[in-house]
């Protein structure tokens, strides 16, 4: 394959994404490479539990079912398929693809990448999964050896793009600017339709186009620049705003470090390139870090919950009563769970015309290492109150026996401690050099040049979302909220108005664990846990007219632990947009 442009498409943003996307992408227009991202922190935990049932499992089986109806199409059209659906068992999935191809009578060359799984090293006792985030070099080696399909385990999401781009253009490992451009393009593609209008905060004026968004494509150029687009005639839309939001998603500061390169997000430039086309260029890159990130999942214990429905008057008093009664039961039984967390959601409305809208929800979540402590202890206490508590007592459903929950942690290992291996179509096992990272510390990032404060003028108190877009997400126990605006005038106001202090005021949950909506106790009868300040960091990105906030530990031990009711922080950005500020009338 040769040519000035490499067209890389995406057909999956997570394990469970639209099943027909692979066929849609293969039949919708020209493509050179089709990628599929199936892995996330929670997915690795799910696959880890799957592998406990059988050593033959541990990969995303949906990919095989998609390939069954699309393998012939891909080979006929000369489209390479690159996917991380191998999960914890890339060799097993590669073998399954070969068996499928033989059954279908489709000649195909299959390769896989391994070495990310560090569980057998014994370095991480108690872990259910332990996987290093590999880069794209192994993928490039597989494609260079003639593979039609490349299956990986835990590579970075962007590696699904950096690998094919490095292979196609012949980039060396130190072509940092080019690789950084591919990382940015890969980050835009990795979440599928989030780049084509899905989950877009500024969707309202174009909602009619979002019935079935098409999946994104990156037209990669040799210099590392790219155009983000989609197949003609597909739903959704690509504009600077959709690309900006996806760039901000689950990122932090100016440096976006990965195993291939450290991409400088403060150098990214976006501009329209025609209908449904956004050009991404100017990206600078630096050496990757000297270590590789390792994602660890372990079982944290057992979890259960019950939701009490409080209807009508005296909501706070009803909540206090049932909370007192439940905790008194735990004390008397001496079998209360280790962790008890209460949250009152005031979903009730005064003088409501339906019972549901007259009701608030009081949610009790308990955790313990002992399943009985969150099972029988909780269900017994809740059921016994049925005729002895607040008026109108009922729950959304009876509590069950409790279920295991997971905990995600990040660790780091020296690059030389990971054996990155490309297993080529002929079976050759080719070691991939991992490099040493930077030979000297990187220079500090200069403070960005910011505009002066805007002149005073009349303001109106309205929601921030009238002028700003936002997207939020999770990284382990941390959350990020990216906020962006369209105009220079709005940026001049935003960068001076939305400080860390104002961010904390608008989102009080970012100020302390458990504040203000939740009360948490550890052990029966203990006082509420002391509020712990959460670190909040602001990262200005002037080229994108954006601020990216990182809130540490707001998600506790990660999505699988379900520390808060929005465990992946998907709605934090929308909550921020709904908060009211005094915004200059000139911007409205």
């Amino acid at each position: 394959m040769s040519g000035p442009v490499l067209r890389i498409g995406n057909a999956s943003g997570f394990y469970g994404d639209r099943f027909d996307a692979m066929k849609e992408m293969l039949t919708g227009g020209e493509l050179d490479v089709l990628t599929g991202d199936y892995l996330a922190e929670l997915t690795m935990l799910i696959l880890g539990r799957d592998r406990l049932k059988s050593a033959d499992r541990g990969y995303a089986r949906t990919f095989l079912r998609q390939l069954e109806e699309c393998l012939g199409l891909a080979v006929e059209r000369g489209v390479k398929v690159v996917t991380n659906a191998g999960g914890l068992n890339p060799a097993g999935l590669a073998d399954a693809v070969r068996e499928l191809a033989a059954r279908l009578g489709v000649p195909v060359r299959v390769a896989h990448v391994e070495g990310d799984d560090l569980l057998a090293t014994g370095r991480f006792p108690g872990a259910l999964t332990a996987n290093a985030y590999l880069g794209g070099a192994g993928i490039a080696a597989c494609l260079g050896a003639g593979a039609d399909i490349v299956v990986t385990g835990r590579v970075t999401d962007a590696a699904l793009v950096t690998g094919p781009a490095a292979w196609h253009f012949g980039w060396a490992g130190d072509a940092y600017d080019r690789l950084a451009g591919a990382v940015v393009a890969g980050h835009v593609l990795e979440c599928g339709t989030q780049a084509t209008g899905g989950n877009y905060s500024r969707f309202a004026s174009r909602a009619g186009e979002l019935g079935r968004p098409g999946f994104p494509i990156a037209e990669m150029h040799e210099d590392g620049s790219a155009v983000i687009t989609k197949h003609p005639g597909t739903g959704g839309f690509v504009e600077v705003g959709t690309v900006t939001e996806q760039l901000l998603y689950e990122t932090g500061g100016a440096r976006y470090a990965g195993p291939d390169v450290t991409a400088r997000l403060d150098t990214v430039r976006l501009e329209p390139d025609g209908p449904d086309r956004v050009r991404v260029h100017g990206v600078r890159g630096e050496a990757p870090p000297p270590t590789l990130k390792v994602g660890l999942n372990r079982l944290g214990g057992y979890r259960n919950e019950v939701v009490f429905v409080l209807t009508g008057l005296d909501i706070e008093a009803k909540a206090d009563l049932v909370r007192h009664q439940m905790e008194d039961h735990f004390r008397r039984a001496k079998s209360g769970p280790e962790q008890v967390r209460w949250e009152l959601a005031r979903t009730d409305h005064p003088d409501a015309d339906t019972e549901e809208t007259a009701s608030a929800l009081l949610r009790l979540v308990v955790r313990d290492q002992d399943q009985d402590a969150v099972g029988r202890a909780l269900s017994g206490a809740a059921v016994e109150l049925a005729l002895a508590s607040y008026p109108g007592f009922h729950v959304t459903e009876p509590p069950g026996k409790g279920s295991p929950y997971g905990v995600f942690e990040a660790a780091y290992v020296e690059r030389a401690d990971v054996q990155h291996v490309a297993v080529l179509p002929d079976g050759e096992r080719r070691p991939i050099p991992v490099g040493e990272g930077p030979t000297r510390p990187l220079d500090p990032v200069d403070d960005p040049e910011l505009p002066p404060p805007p002149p005073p003028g009349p303001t109106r108190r309205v929601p921030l979302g009238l002028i700003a877009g936002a997207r939020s997400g999770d990284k382990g126990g941390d959350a990020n909220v990216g906020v962006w605006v369209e105009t220079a005038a709005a940026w001049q106001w935003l960068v001076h108005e939305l400080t860390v202090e104002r961010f904390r005021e608008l989102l009080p949950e970012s100020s302390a664990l458990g504040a203000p909506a939740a009360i948490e106790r550890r052990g029966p009868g203990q006082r509420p846990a002391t509020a712990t300040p959460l670190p909040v960091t602001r990262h200005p990105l002037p080229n994108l007219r954006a601020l990216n906030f990182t809130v540490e530990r707001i998600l506790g031990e990660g999505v699988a632990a379900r520390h808060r009711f929005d465990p992946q922080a998907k709605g934090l950005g929308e909550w921020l947009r709904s908060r009211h500020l005094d915004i200059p009338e000139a911007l409205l």
Side-chain angles (χ1 to χ4, degrees), residues 79-100:
V79 178
K80 307 284 188 181
V81 178
V82 179
T83 179
N84 61 15
L88 301 177
N89 189 7
L93 179 55
D95 286 341
V97 172
R98 293 186 188 97
E99 294 171 5
L100 174 64

PDB file of all heavy atoms in Angstrom, residues 79-100:
ATOM      1  N   VAL A  79      -8.728  -3.748   2.765  1.00  0.00           N
ATOM      2  CA  VAL A  79      -8.694  -2.959   3.999  1.00  0.00           C
ATOM      3  C   VAL A  79      -8.039  -3.781   5.107  1.00  0.00           C
ATOM      4  O   VAL A  79      -8.467  -4.904   5.397  1.00  0.00           O
ATOM      5  CB  VAL A  79     -10.110  -2.534   4.429  1.00  0.00           C
ATOM      6  CG1 VAL A  79     -10.066  -1.765   5.746  1.00  0.00           C
ATOM      7  CG2 VAL A  79     -10.768  -1.698   3.338  1.00  0.00           C
ATOM      8  N   LYS A  80      -6.996  -3.241   5.704  1.00  0.00           N
ATOM      9  CA  LYS A  80      -6.365  -3.869   6.857  1.00  0.00           C
ATOM     10  C   LYS A  80      -7.245  -3.626   8.090  1.00  0.00           C
ATOM     11  O   LYS A  80      -7.835  -2.552   8.244  1.00  0.00           O
ATOM     12  CB  LYS A  80      -4.984  -3.272   7.108  1.00  0.00           C
ATOM     13  CG  LYS A  80      -4.059  -3.273   5.893  1.00  0.00           C
ATOM     14  CD  LYS A  80      -3.489  -4.637   5.618  1.00  0.00           C
ATOM     15  CE  LYS A  80      -2.427  -4.583   4.524  1.00  0.00           C
ATOM     16  NZ  LYS A  80      -1.866  -5.921   4.222  1.00  0.00           N
ATOM     17  N   VAL A  81      -7.304  -4.600   8.978  1.00  0.00           N
ATOM     18  CA  VAL A  81      -8.078  -4.479  10.206  1.00  0.00           C
ATOM     19  C   VAL A  81      -7.115  -4.554  11.386  1.00  0.00           C
ATOM     20  O   VAL A  81      -6.332  -5.514  11.502  1.00  0.00           O
ATOM     21  CB  VAL A  81      -9.151  -5.580  10.323  1.00  0.00           C
ATOM     22  CG1 VAL A  81      -9.906  -5.456  11.647  1.00  0.00           C
ATOM     23  CG2 VAL A  81     -10.122  -5.504   9.145  1.00  0.00           C
ATOM     24  N   VAL A  82      -7.152  -3.542  12.254  1.00  0.00           N
ATOM     25  CA  VAL A  82      -6.275  -3.465  13.424  1.00  0.00           C
ATOM     26  C   VAL A  82      -7.156  -3.242  14.650  1.00  0.00           C
ATOM     27  O   VAL A  82      -7.922  -2.266  14.699  1.00  0.00           O
ATOM     28  CB  VAL A  82      -5.248  -2.323  13.294  1.00  0.00           C
ATOM     29  CG1 VAL A  82      -4.369  -2.250  14.539  1.00  0.00           C
ATOM     30  CG2 VAL A  82      -4.395  -2.511  12.046  1.00  0.00           C
ATOM     31  N   THR A  83      -7.043  -4.123  15.643  1.00  0.00           N
ATOM     32  CA  THR A  83      -7.946  -4.029  16.802  1.00  0.00           C
ATOM     33  C   THR A  83      -7.256  -4.468  18.079  1.00  0.00           C
ATOM     34  O   THR A  83      -6.373  -5.342  18.062  1.00  0.00           O
ATOM     35  CB  THR A  83      -9.195  -4.908  16.583  1.00  0.00           C
ATOM     36  OG1 THR A  83     -10.046  -4.823  17.723  1.00  0.00           O
ATOM     37  CG2 THR A  83      -8.822  -6.363  16.361  1.00  0.00           C
ATOM     38  N   ASN A  84      -7.657  -3.876  19.188  1.00  0.00           N
ATOM     39  CA  ASN A  84      -7.182  -4.316  20.506  1.00  0.00           C
ATOM     40  C   ASN A  84      -8.171  -5.275  21.154  1.00  0.00           C
ATOM     41  O   ASN A  84      -8.122  -5.505  22.367  1.00  0.00           O
ATOM     42  CB  ASN A  84      -6.923  -3.121  21.419  1.00  0.00           C
ATOM     43  CG  ASN A  84      -8.166  -2.282  21.683  1.00  0.00           C
ATOM     44  OD1 ASN A  84      -9.295  -2.709  21.429  1.00  0.00           O
ATOM     45  ND2 ASN A  84      -7.976  -1.073  22.197  1.00  0.00           N
ATOM     46  N   ALA A  85      -9.054  -5.877  20.352  1.00  0.00           N
ATOM     47  CA  ALA A  85     -10.060  -6.794  20.890  1.00  0.00           C
ATOM     48  C   ALA A  85      -9.440  -8.026  21.520  1.00  0.00           C
ATOM     49  O   ALA A  85     -10.132  -8.791  22.194  1.00  0.00           O
ATOM     50  CB  ALA A  85     -11.038  -7.211  19.789  1.00  0.00           C
ATOM     51  N   GLY A  86      -8.129  -8.242  21.324  1.00  0.00           N
ATOM     52  CA  GLY A  86      -7.471  -9.377  21.947  1.00  0.00           C
ATOM     53  C   GLY A  86      -7.475  -9.318  23.458  1.00  0.00           C
ATOM     54  O   GLY A  86      -7.346 -10.352  24.126  1.00  0.00           O
ATOM     55  N   GLY A  87      -7.602  -8.122  24.018  1.00  0.00           N
ATOM     56  CA  GLY A  87      -7.733  -7.987  25.466  1.00  0.00           C
ATOM     57  C   GLY A  87      -6.634  -8.697  26.226  1.00  0.00           C
ATOM     58  O   GLY A  87      -5.454  -8.372  26.103  1.00  0.00           O
ATOM     59  N   LEU A  88      -7.014  -9.693  27.020  1.00  0.00           N
ATOM     60  CA  LEU A  88      -6.067 -10.464  27.824  1.00  0.00           C
ATOM     61  C   LEU A  88      -5.583 -11.720  27.111  1.00  0.00           C
ATOM     62  O   LEU A  88      -4.765 -12.462  27.657  1.00  0.00           O
ATOM     63  CB  LEU A  88      -6.727 -10.875  29.148  1.00  0.00           C
ATOM     64  CG  LEU A  88      -7.235  -9.731  30.028  1.00  0.00           C
ATOM     65  CD1 LEU A  88      -7.928 -10.290  31.260  1.00  0.00           C
ATOM     66  CD2 LEU A  88      -6.098  -8.811  30.429  1.00  0.00           C
ATOM     67  N   ASN A  89      -6.055 -11.946  25.887  1.00  0.00           N
ATOM     68  CA  ASN A  89      -5.711 -13.178  25.180  1.00  0.00           C
ATOM     69  C   ASN A  89      -5.599 -12.914  23.673  1.00  0.00           C
ATOM     70  O   ASN A  89      -6.354 -13.479  22.880  1.00  0.00           O
ATOM     71  CB  ASN A  89      -6.772 -14.243  25.463  1.00  0.00           C
ATOM     72  CG  ASN A  89      -6.398 -15.617  24.944  1.00  0.00           C
ATOM     73  OD1 ASN A  89      -5.279 -15.832  24.469  1.00  0.00           O
ATOM     74  ND2 ASN A  89      -7.319 -16.550  25.009  1.00  0.00           N
ATOM     75  N   PRO A  90      -4.658 -12.050  23.253  1.00  0.00           N
ATOM     76  CA  PRO A  90      -4.554 -11.753  21.825  1.00  0.00           C
ATOM     77  C   PRO A  90      -4.199 -12.973  20.983  1.00  0.00           C
ATOM     78  O   PRO A  90      -4.688 -13.112  19.853  1.00  0.00           O
ATOM     79  CB  PRO A  90      -3.468 -10.681  21.756  1.00  0.00           C
ATOM     80  CG  PRO A  90      -2.716 -10.786  23.042  1.00  0.00           C
ATOM     81  CD  PRO A  90      -3.700 -11.254  24.051  1.00  0.00           C
ATOM     82  N   ALA A  91      -3.371 -13.874  21.513  1.00  0.00           N
ATOM     83  CA  ALA A  91      -3.035 -15.077  20.760  1.00  0.00           C
ATOM     84  C   ALA A  91      -4.273 -15.934  20.536  1.00  0.00           C
ATOM     85  O   ALA A  91      -4.472 -16.509  19.458  1.00  0.00           O
ATOM     86  CB  ALA A  91      -1.959 -15.870  21.494  1.00  0.00           C
ATOM     87  N   GLY A  92      -5.128 -16.035  21.565  1.00  0.00           N
ATOM     88  CA  GLY A  92      -6.352 -16.809  21.433  1.00  0.00           C
ATOM     89  C   GLY A  92      -7.288 -16.227  20.394  1.00  0.00           C
ATOM     90  O   GLY A  92      -7.897 -16.957  19.596  1.00  0.00           O
ATOM     91  N   LEU A  93      -7.426 -14.902  20.361  1.00  0.00           N
ATOM     92  CA  LEU A  93      -8.284 -14.287  19.362  1.00  0.00           C
ATOM     93  C   LEU A  93      -7.685 -14.447  17.970  1.00  0.00           C
ATOM     94  O   LEU A  93      -8.418 -14.696  17.003  1.00  0.00           O
ATOM     95  CB  LEU A  93      -8.499 -12.808  19.678  1.00  0.00           C
ATOM     96  CG  LEU A  93      -9.371 -12.043  18.678  1.00  0.00           C
ATOM     97  CD1 LEU A  93     -10.731 -12.707  18.487  1.00  0.00           C
ATOM     98  CD2 LEU A  93      -9.563 -10.581  19.118  1.00  0.00           C
ATOM     99  N   ALA A  94      -6.360 -14.318  17.834  1.00  0.00           N
ATOM    100  CA  ALA A  94      -5.732 -14.505  16.525  1.00  0.00           C
ATOM    101  C   ALA A  94      -5.998 -15.915  15.998  1.00  0.00           C
ATOM    102  O   ALA A  94      -6.313 -16.110  14.814  1.00  0.00           O
ATOM    103  CB  ALA A  94      -4.236 -14.228  16.623  1.00  0.00           C
ATOM    104  N   ASP A  95      -5.895 -16.915  16.870  1.00  0.00           N
ATOM    105  CA  ASP A  95      -6.197 -18.285  16.449  1.00  0.00           C
ATOM    106  C   ASP A  95      -7.660 -18.425  16.047  1.00  0.00           C
ATOM    107  O   ASP A  95      -7.993 -19.107  15.059  1.00  0.00           O
ATOM    108  CB  ASP A  95      -5.886 -19.265  17.585  1.00  0.00           C
ATOM    109  CG  ASP A  95      -4.393 -19.482  17.796  1.00  0.00           C
ATOM    110  OD1 ASP A  95      -3.609 -19.175  16.872  1.00  0.00           O
ATOM    111  OD2 ASP A  95      -4.018 -19.948  18.889  1.00  0.00           O
ATOM    112  N   ALA A  96      -8.545 -17.780  16.799  1.00  0.00           N
ATOM    113  CA  ALA A  96      -9.970 -17.855  16.474  1.00  0.00           C
ATOM    114  C   ALA A  96     -10.262 -17.190  15.130  1.00  0.00           C
ATOM    115  O   ALA A  96     -11.121 -17.669  14.364  1.00  0.00           O
ATOM    116  CB  ALA A  96     -10.789 -17.199  17.581  1.00  0.00           C
ATOM    117  N   VAL A  97      -9.552 -16.112  14.807  1.00  0.00           N
ATOM    118  CA  VAL A  97      -9.728 -15.463  13.507  1.00  0.00           C
ATOM    119  C   VAL A  97      -9.261 -16.396  12.382  1.00  0.00           C
ATOM    120  O   VAL A  97      -9.908 -16.501  11.326  1.00  0.00           O
ATOM    121  CB  VAL A  97      -8.970 -14.130  13.460  1.00  0.00           C
ATOM    122  CG1 VAL A  97      -8.980 -13.545  12.043  1.00  0.00           C
ATOM    123  CG2 VAL A  97      -9.589 -13.126  14.428  1.00  0.00           C
ATOM    124  N   ARG A  98      -8.153 -17.085  12.599  1.00  0.00           N
ATOM    125  CA  ARG A  98      -7.665 -18.031  11.579  1.00  0.00           C
ATOM    126  C   ARG A  98      -8.672 -19.158  11.367  1.00  0.00           C
ATOM    127  O   ARG A  98      -8.936 -19.568  10.218  1.00  0.00           O
ATOM    128  CB  ARG A  98      -6.312 -18.603  11.997  1.00  0.00           C
ATOM    129  CG  ARG A  98      -5.185 -17.576  12.027  1.00  0.00           C
ATOM    130  CD  ARG A  98      -3.838 -18.236  12.314  1.00  0.00           C
ATOM    131  NE  ARG A  98      -2.817 -17.218  12.530  1.00  0.00           N
ATOM    132  CZ  ARG A  98      -2.425 -16.791  13.721  1.00  0.00           C
ATOM    133  NH1 ARG A  98      -2.970 -17.304  14.828  1.00  0.00           N
ATOM    134  NH2 ARG A  98      -1.503 -15.851  13.836  1.00  0.00           N
ATOM    135  N   GLU A  99      -9.236 -19.666  12.444  1.00  0.00           N
ATOM    136  CA  GLU A  99     -10.247 -20.721  12.324  1.00  0.00           C
ATOM    137  C   GLU A  99     -11.470 -20.212  11.577  1.00  0.00           C
ATOM    138  O   GLU A  99     -12.042 -20.921  10.736  1.00  0.00           O
ATOM    139  CB  GLU A  99     -10.636 -21.217  13.713  1.00  0.00           C
ATOM    140  CG  GLU A  99      -9.520 -21.935  14.456  1.00  0.00           C
ATOM    141  CD  GLU A  99      -9.877 -22.226  15.901  1.00  0.00           C
ATOM    142  OE1 GLU A  99     -11.041 -21.952  16.293  1.00  0.00           O
ATOM    143  OE2 GLU A  99      -9.006 -22.702  16.650  1.00  0.00           O
ATOM    144  N   LEU A 100     -11.880 -18.987  11.863  1.00  0.00           N
ATOM    145  CA  LEU A 100     -13.017 -18.387  11.171  1.00  0.00           C
ATOM    146  C   LEU A 100     -12.717 -18.244   9.692  1.00  0.00           C
ATOM    147  O   LEU A 100     -13.561 -18.579   8.838  1.00  0.00           O
ATOM    148  CB  LEU A 100     -13.325 -17.013  11.783  1.00  0.00           C
ATOM    149  CG  LEU A 100     -14.402 -16.179  11.078  1.00  0.00           C
ATOM    150  CD1 LEU A 100     -15.757 -16.868  11.158  1.00  0.00           C
ATOM    151  CD2 LEU A 100     -14.474 -14.775  11.689  1.00  0.00           C
TER     152      LEU A 100
END
